[in-house]
Structures are given as C-alpha cells and as structure tokens.
Amino acid sequence: MNYPRITWIALSLSLAFTAQASDTPVHKALLIGVDGMQYQKLQKAIQQNMAPTIASLKLHKSYTGGVLGTSTEQLTVSGPGWTTILTGSWVDRHQVSANDEALRNQAPSLFKQFKLAFPDRKTASIVSWNVINAHFAEDITQGYIDLAVKCSGVDPCVVDNVSHELETGQPDLLFAHFDEPDITGHRLGFTPEYQQAIQTVDAQLGQILLALQRREKAHPEEDWLVIVLPDHGRHLPEGKDHGQQTLSEKTTFIAMNKTGNAQLRAPIVNPSNPDFKGLYGFASQADISPTVLAWLGVKPDLTRYTMDGLPLIGPVGVRQLTAQQLPDRAQVNLSWRTETPTGKPVQIYRDGQPIARLTDHEHSYVDNDIQALKGPINYTLVFNGVPVSRLVTLHEQTSTP
C-alpha cells in the first residue's frame, strides 16, 4: 500500500518520539538501613577489607539527633532516627520521640509523597526491626506501602525478601533494614564480634546489590539510586549504648552510588551552630527523603511542603536555614546561606503562602506579620527550584541549621 508523503512524515515522527521515550531511564530507588553501624568502626572495617560493598559506594559523614537545644532535638535511637530518614522531618513534625511501637508517624512519609505523585508505582518496606513498620502502620493501611514485611530480627529474611522482590517483582521504591550491628553492639559493644557484624551485614548488602545487578541487566531501562545509612552512632567508649547528644552518637554516614551535590560533598566548615566539632555543617538524615523524591521525579508542592532536609543530588537550595522567634517581639527571623550570589531569586513561603521574594544577595528576612498567628508556623524557602522548610512554634525560641 502506498501512503501519502504526509503520512510517512507523521509515522516517522511518531516512531522517533516513541524511541526517544523508551530510551528515557526509569528512575527507581533502593534505600538500605544498617541499624547502629558506627561511622568510625565502619571506616576501620573498610580499612581491613571487611566491608567491600559499602566501600564501593561514595561514603560521606552525616549527623542525626536534630539540633541540641531546639525543637528538632531528638533521641539518638532507632524510632526517631528511622522516622526522620523516611520523612525528611525532625521529631517536632513526625512526633516519633522514642522506640515505642504505639507511636505513629505524623509527617508525610517518603512512601506517601511518592504514591500520591505516582499512584500506580510500587513501594516496599522490608524490615528486621518490626517497630519501623509499626510507626508507619497508617501508610500500610492506606496503601502507600504496597509490600510491608516484618522479619522479626532475622536479617537473612531481609536478604531473601528484598532479593526476591528485585528479581521477580516490580518495585520502584524499596526500603530494607538490617538490625545485627545494633543487636551485637548492645550485647557486646565495640568488640571483634561487632566488627564481624559489620562484615556480615556488608556481605548481605552485597547479595542484594548482586540481585539488583541482575535486575538491571534484565531491565536496562531502569536507573537505580542506592543509599546505605544507619540511624544513629554509639556511645563511647564501650559502644553498647546510644540515645544521648554526644559527637559519637550523633555522627552517622551516607553511602550512595550516585555523585552527590555540595550539600553532601562540601560540608560547611563554619556552620551557624559550631557544636560537636562542626558536625552540623554536614548533611543530615533529614536530607534522605528529599533526595529520593527528587531522584524519583516527585515535584514538590510548595503550598504543602514540610521537609527539613535538602536533596543531595541536583541543584542545591539554601543551606543552614534557621528560623527563630525574636524574644519578646512578634517577629520571626530567618537566615540562610547560598553560594556566590548571582542574583537568583529566593522565595519565602509562610504556611504555603508566598510572603517575600528576595535575591541570593540577601541572607536573612524578618517576618513582622505574625501578630495574629498562633501555634506552629511552617516557613519554606525556595532557591534554584529547591525548597527547604523550618517549623517555628510561636513563643518558643527555635533554631536549626
């Protein structure tokens, strides 16, 4: 059959666009938690070739526990830590203040935000410490977590379920959690057995990443972001306990298979809060959910945005954002940092409503229009298209880096 020339042109264009669409990578994410794995002891394991899997990733220092003396301060224990990682928010938003199975996350989770943006895509949470899935029970009930598995402290169960899901399922966002380093740490502290626990979990991570390699070979259109991180450090010198605000307990790490931006790779050497030897200049656990959502293509809704962290990939938003109610005055002072000013806009939102538009030559703003407001106020600053938020409860002095 002879087709008119216009038809051939249309057909060719159609095929070209189809080919272009099929060549576009499908972004997916694998987030792996290694409970209680202390940063310094991991470094020792890497030096002794006991953790080659994590060593193959890009490893960076980070912090947990919020900021001491502010509304973001939280115990350096698993419940608050994992909830911050899976929401991008500190305890003043998520309200999981302890390792209490009855507590429920109150902040929009990573799973929820992803499913609201892409209802047909699949999520999974496969955990060794069952309490994590208890904290996110409402997400499971409401269908934001499609597959929820509790392995009851058996890490090989996590390996089997995650590997099976990667090789036979259709996951788009998968969270896996291992518990053995924390269990051994509580029982024996910093001993050769603790280093062996790091080695064992690293080998289990290797099994999962091999399953991921097989998946990527079978699905070359997929591009996976992999992040490995703990929930907290450990108390010196023995390493048996954690929960306090000490440098060792607050220090964590982020290991990623992608190259991070300045928020991850270029810590601020003179942070607004210099405590804990400048630890607050590094990335934090609150940065994980924004990173994963950015990778997965979830567009932030500025009228509802509430995450305290910054994406660790792509453009960098304002850094070191602080929000502080001035004493005895009906004002909130915002301050932040940017790179070398170029005149780019910085937009400020209060509870989802725009209140100011500045440029990156300016690094502070005073909100004088709060006299009639009560309770918590959520401020969001947008720079380079990247939002970051802070919560201020009026009549309290609040500051976070």
Side-chain angles (χ1 to χ4, degrees):
M1 180 180 293
N2 293 323
Y3 291 99
R5 175 177 172 79
I6 188 71
T7 303
W8 278 114
I9 294 174
L11 180 60
S12 299
L13 287 172
S14 174
L15 290 172
F17 282 116
T18 301
Q20 184 178 16
S22 66
D23 290 340
T24 302
V26 179
H27 282 195
K28 301 194 174 192
L30 173 60
L31 178 59
I32 304 176
V34 286
D35 209 298
M37 187 180 287
Q38 205 235 19
Y39 177 56
Q40 288 81 0
K41 297 303 180 182
L42 170 63
Q43 289 180 309
K44 178 180 178 181
I46 290 173
Q47 292 169 0
Q48 297 176 342
N49 199 31
M50 296 173 68
T53 304
I54 299 178
S56 70
L57 304 172
K58 299 171 178 64
L59 181 67
H60 301 272
K61 184 191 295 187
S62 59
Y63 76 88
T64 185
V67 177
L68 180 64
T70 76
S71 62
T72 68
E73 178 184 339
Q74 58 189 44
L75 297 176
T76 53
V77 296
S78 296
W82 293 121
T83 307
T84 290
I85 288 167
L86 295 173
T87 64
S89 304
W90 297 112
V91 68
D92 53 349
R93 298 186 193 270
H94 64 62
Q95 299 296 304
V96 177
S97 56
N99 293 347
D100 184 343
E101 192 169 359
L103 294 174
R104 296 292 179 264
N105 166 53
Q106 301 298 311
S109 74
L110 171 62
F111 307 108
K112 179 177 180 178
Q113 294 183 71
F114 178 60
K115 289 288 280 188
L116 289 177
F118 303 105
D120 296 331
R121 301 186 71 182
K122 301 301 180 183
T123 60
S125 179
I126 301 168
V127 300
S128 186
W129 190 53
N130 295 350
V131 179
I132 297 173
N133 279 2
H135 290 325
F136 291 88
E138 293 182 6
D139 277 28
I140 297 170
T141 300
Q142 296 172 13
Y144 299 129
I145 299 177
D146 295 298
L147 174 66
V149 178
K150 295 179 178 179
C151 284
S152 303
V154 181
D155 283 0
C157 163
V158 178
V159 177
D160 292 343
N161 278 275
V162 173
S163 299
H164 182 267
E165 184 66 11
L166 285 171
E167 295 196 54
T168 66
Q170 292 301 321
D172 296 288
L173 167 58
L174 202 164
F175 172 63
H177 167 270
F178 291 87
D179 209 17
E180 187 56 39
D182 196 53
I183 293 173
T184 302
H186 282 298
R187 187 165 55 91
L188 300 171
F190 291 144
T191 59
E193 288 83 359
Y194 182 78
Q195 295 304 113
Q196 180 61 51
I198 292 176
Q199 184 176 33
T200 297
V201 169
D202 186 85
Q204 291 168 332
L205 298 184
Q207 292 178 257
I208 288 177
L209 294 189
L210 283 175
L212 179 59
Q213 288 179 11
R214 291 191 290 269
R215 178 181 183 87
E216 290 181 315
K217 186 175 181 180
H219 299 274
E221 75 282 2
E222 296 180 357
D223 189 358
W224 283 79
L225 169 69
V226 177
I227 301 177
V228 178
L229 78 167
D231 49 342
H232 53 72
R234 311 200 72 84
H235 189 74
L236 297 177
E238 292 186 344
K240 288 186 175 181
D241 300 315
H242 56 85
Q244 301 177 30
Q245 293 277 326
T246 67
L247 177 60
S248 181
E249 289 164 284
K250 289 181 67 64
T251 300
T252 49
F253 64 84
I254 297 168
M256 197 160 66
N257 68 332
K258 307 293 182 182
T259 300
N261 59 22
Q263 176 69 1
L264 183 63
R265 293 186 293 106
I268 292 176
V269 295
N270 56 339
S272 305
N273 184 328
D275 292 348
F276 302 104
K277 297 184 178 180
L279 187 63
Y280 293 133
F282 290 79
S284 81
Q285 288 181 335
D287 296 331
I288 300 303
S289 279
T291 302
V292 174
L293 291 171
W295 175 258
L296 294 174
V298 177
K299 303 299 182 184
D301 181 353
L302 299 181
T303 65
R304 300 180 180 180
Y305 199 85
T306 59
M307 288 192 290
D308 297 308
L310 284 168
L312 302 174
I313 56 175
V316 180
V318 301
R319 304 174 71 185
Q320 297 284 291
L321 174 61
T322 67
Q324 181 179 19
Q325 183 183 13
L326 301 181
D328 302 321
R329 298 172 66 182
Q331 295 177 327
V332 171
N333 184 58
L334 305 174
S335 64
W336 60 90
R337 297 190 189 185
T338 59
E339 301 299 322
T340 304
T342 61
K344 293 181 180 179
V346 177
Q347 298 170 292
I348 303 176
Y349 292 75
R350 185 207 309 125
D351 290 336
Q353 299 298 317
I355 61 171
R357 182 182 174 91
L358 312 175
T359 72
D360 60 356
H361 291 89
E362 300 167 273
H363 295 94
S364 65
Y365 176 79
V366 177
D367 184 5
N368 296 299
D369 193 22
I370 64 170
Q371 292 86 347
L373 301 178
K374 295 181 179 180
I377 300 176
N378 182 60
Y379 288 95
T380 301
L381 271 67
V382 183
F383 177 63
N384 280 332
V386 178
V388 61
S389 295
R390 289 294 179 270
L391 191 66
V392 176
T393 299
L394 295 184
H395 308 304
E396 288 185 1
Q397 183 169 312
T398 305
S399 176
T400 56

